[in-house]
Amino acid sequence: MTYGAMLNEWYPVGLVSQLGKHSHKTALMGEPIEVSVGADGTASVTADSGRALPVCVRYGHVWSSLGEPQKELFAIPEADQPGRRFVDVGVVRVRCSPLRAVENFLDIAHFPFVHTDILGAEPHTEVQNYKVEIRDVEDEVWATQVKFYQPQAAKSASGGITTEYMYRVPAPTCSVLYKTCPPRPSEWDVITLFVQPLAEDLCDVWPWMALFDDETSMTDLIHFQQTIFLQDRSILENQIPRLLPLDPGMEIPTRADLTSVAYRRWLKRHNYTYGAQLVAQ
């Protein structure tokens, strides 16, 4: 098995709120692992061989790695902003490449067809021009000036609005979405996708949100986001090939796919190839 450079990255392996007295057995990149929290609240992750793995606790999740991460987990400044509600959405298992799961999160063209009457609706199907760049200083993929009409942009939205988005990819299996915050137009809602690669074609997806919403119940916030991703899951599990193609000739992009093109280029540049298909088969 070839991990490539992804061996030394941080990955979510469990929700802190769900780790009680009992340990949680899961997997990371094909390797069985066990996640537990001690009486003092300290989290630990152990490989099947008994080896203690690196641990980081952030954004409501326990993070670990099979290798030796050379940098700290990426920062989300909004996670330290007073007044926000932090929502642990839970986990959804998806039979697809972890890279496919991230790429789907970056795609807005599917909104009217997959998330009909929520994140999109016909005849509002055109993807307007937007800006995509690989920021060398941060070493991240960013898409900005993304605008799309949405019948219900968020659980707190009371009607259709043109929503503005910014997408950020700070790690190969994680993405951060900033979008219009209906209750506070001067702020951004933050919705993240943290993906745990169980295998090259199987992953656990852990959405997490940092919102300004004082009215919606936590149950409704969780249900809204889970509804969105469960709609995505049926699409993801039927994509062929299941791994993410990195050869530009294997899938033909359109103008709406600029973020996907940049993401695949960035993955290839860094040898982030676990869950990827490099050549046509």
Side-chain angles (χ1 to χ4, degrees):
M1 185 183 298
T2 302
Y3 298 116
M6 291 175 66
L7 179 69
N8 297 314
E9 295 291 322
W10 290 105
Y11 300 99
V13 294
L15 268 176
V16 176
S17 60
Q18 294 180 357
L19 291 171
K21 297 180 180 179
H22 304 288
S23 60
H24 168 60
K25 291 186 178 181
T26 180
L28 183 57
M29 302 174 81
E31 300 292 331
I33 62 172
E34 188 168 340
V35 187
S36 58
V37 176
D40 61 353
T42 302
S44 62
V45 182
T46 309
D48 204 34
S49 63
R51 178 171 66 100
L53 299 178
V55 176
C56 171
V57 177
R58 196 74 170 99
Y59 316 130
H61 292 74
V62 178
W63 301 73
S64 190
S65 174
L66 293 180
E68 298 179 1
Q70 302 301 303
K71 56 186 178 182
E72 295 182 354
L73 184 66
F74 55 87
I76 302 177
E78 291 79 9
D80 300 314
Q81 190 174 4
R84 285 189 181 268
R85 294 178 69 186
F86 305 119
V87 185
D88 299 335
V89 177
V91 63
V92 179
R93 181 156 296 181
V94 189
R95 294 190 176 280
C96 75
S97 160
L99 306 180
R100 279 277 197 201
V102 171
E103 185 183 65
N104 177 79
F105 187 70
L106 302 173
D107 175 40
I108 60 172
H110 76 286
F111 285 174
F113 310 105
V114 179
H115 308 300
T116 308
D117 296 329
I118 303 176
L119 299 185
E122 297 186 74
H124 307 281
T125 59
E126 182 181 0
V127 177
Q128 301 178 33
N129 291 331
Y130 61 96
K131 182 180 178 182
V132 179
E133 59 185 328
I134 298 176
R135 297 185 178 177
D136 292 330
V137 174
E138 298 91 342
D139 193 19
E140 298 179 350
V141 180
W142 277 79
T144 57
Q145 303 173 22
V146 181
K147 295 182 179 181
F148 210 81
Y149 174 80
Q150 298 186 321
Q152 187 176 6
K155 189 63 182 175
S156 58
S158 57
I161 61 173
T162 297
T163 305
E164 184 169 357
Y165 279 58
M166 293 191 297
Y167 288 95
R168 170 191 174 203
V169 182
T173 69
C174 295
S175 184
V176 182
L177 165 65
Y178 303 90
K179 64 182 294 187
T180 300
C181 175
R184 297 197 189 186
S186 62
E187 298 282 358
W188 296 92
D189 275 341
V190 177
I191 302 173
T192 69
L193 200 73
F194 303 146
V195 182
Q196 174 184 352
L198 302 172
E200 287 201 274
D201 60 355
L202 181 68
C203 59
D204 275 348
V205 177
W206 304 85
W208 178 83
M209 301 188 291
L211 312 174
F212 283 114
D213 183 343
D214 298 326
E215 298 181 0
T216 308
S217 71
M218 188 65 75
T219 298
D220 285 347
L221 288 172
I222 293 171
H223 178 73
F224 180 81
Q225 198 59 32
Q226 286 182 339
T227 298
I228 297 299
F229 196 78
L230 287 173
Q231 291 173 337
D232 283 320
R233 182 170 69 175
S234 62
I235 302 300
L236 282 166
E237 293 191 337
N238 285 285
Q239 286 185 312
I240 299 174
R242 200 169 267 184
L243 302 186
L244 181 70
L246 295 188
D247 187 325
M250 293 176 64
E251 291 183 341
I252 301 174
T254 67
R255 180 174 58 84
D257 299 320
L258 292 177
T259 312
S260 170
V261 172
Y263 174 58
R264 294 187 189 198
R265 187 187 311 129
W266 181 75
L267 291 172
K268 202 168 183 179
R269 174 190 296 181
H270 289 290
N271 193 30
Y272 291 145
T273 55
Y274 186 86
Q277 184 172 319
L278 300 178
V279 295
Q281 294 180 355

